[in-house]
Amino acid sequence: TNKHQFKLTTRLYDDNDDTSSFVDFKIDIHVSDVNDNRPVFEQYRYMAKIDENGLSSVYVGNDINTGRQTVKATDIDEVGNPNSQIVYSIIGGNNNNYWSIDENSGKLVVEVPIDREVMASSVIVVKATDQGVGPLYATCIVNIQVNDLNDNAPE
């Protein structure tokens, strides 16, 4: 048996019978996961840096503080079950569509070259939604700093 399956044997006796006859019943109990846990981000706020004027479709770097992938959420519902499968999306701060997110991995992508003199930083809100019935979600904030490069000649 696995941790979600139990076997139970019950014996019923006939007290009115002098022969003490009995019957055994075998019962299989299967416990199914319900979507009762929401995704949880490793951090509430992430910090990342990118160089200005970079190529588009480049992944945003790792979190400045942890060195890990920019955003990551987990769900403690049963592994392999839709209740624990997470899809990522950007739900705020992406007014100019500068950013996209890989819905499966949570990796943030720069979609257009960004000029530091036009935009020094960006704050976006990322949502992680599980795929269970009655989907549950969590959000986090990603603060992206744009590194200034020496790209303008003196005047």
Side-chain angles (χ1 to χ4, degrees):
T1 63
N2 63 36
K3 65 182 178 177
H4 304 292
Q5 181 178 350
F6 303 92
K7 294 188 180 290
L8 176 68
T9 302
T10 302
R11 180 169 282 179
L12 299 174
Y13 290 95
D14 184 356
D15 286 340
N16 296 326
D17 188 336
D18 290 338
T19 63
S20 297
S21 60
F22 63 88
V23 161
D24 286 338
F25 289 97
K26 292 186 180 184
I27 302 169
D28 289 331
I29 301 170
H30 299 272
V31 180
S32 298
D33 185 41
V34 296
N35 195 23
D36 58 344
N37 295 290
R38 68 182 58 252
V40 175
F41 280 97
E42 290 179 347
Q43 299 171 217
Y44 172 71
R45 181 179 297 274
Y46 293 83
M47 302 284 291
K49 288 186 178 182
I50 61 165
D51 288 337
E52 72 174 328
N53 300 325
L55 299 174
S56 61
S57 298
V58 171
Y59 287 117
V60 173
N62 293 341
D63 180 75
I64 293 169
N65 299 315
T66 67
R68 292 192 203 131
Q69 174 182 315
T70 309
V71 298
K72 176 74 174 158
T74 56
D75 190 315
I76 62 171
D77 284 309
E78 183 180 0
V79 175
N81 185 307
N83 298 338
S84 67
Q85 295 171 352
I86 296 173
V87 172
Y88 298 91
S89 58
I90 297 174
I91 62 167
N94 196 22
N95 299 338
N96 295 320
N97 295 318
Y98 288 149
W99 319 104
S100 68
I101 192 163
D102 182 301
E103 69 176 16
N104 297 309
S105 72
K107 288 185 178 181
L108 288 167
V109 177
V110 181
E111 291 296 338
V112 296
I114 296 175
D115 185 353
R116 166 78 163 67
E117 286 72 32
V118 175
M119 183 177 74
S121 66
S122 181
V123 177
I124 61 174
V125 181
V126 174
K127 181 178 181 181
T129 307
D130 67 32
Q131 299 305 290
V133 174
L136 301 174
Y137 68 91
T139 60
C140 73
I141 294 172
V142 181
N143 187 336
I144 303 170
Q145 301 295 317
V146 180
N147 293 328
D148 192 18
L149 301 179
N150 189 10
D151 61 342
N152 293 311
E155 294 180 16

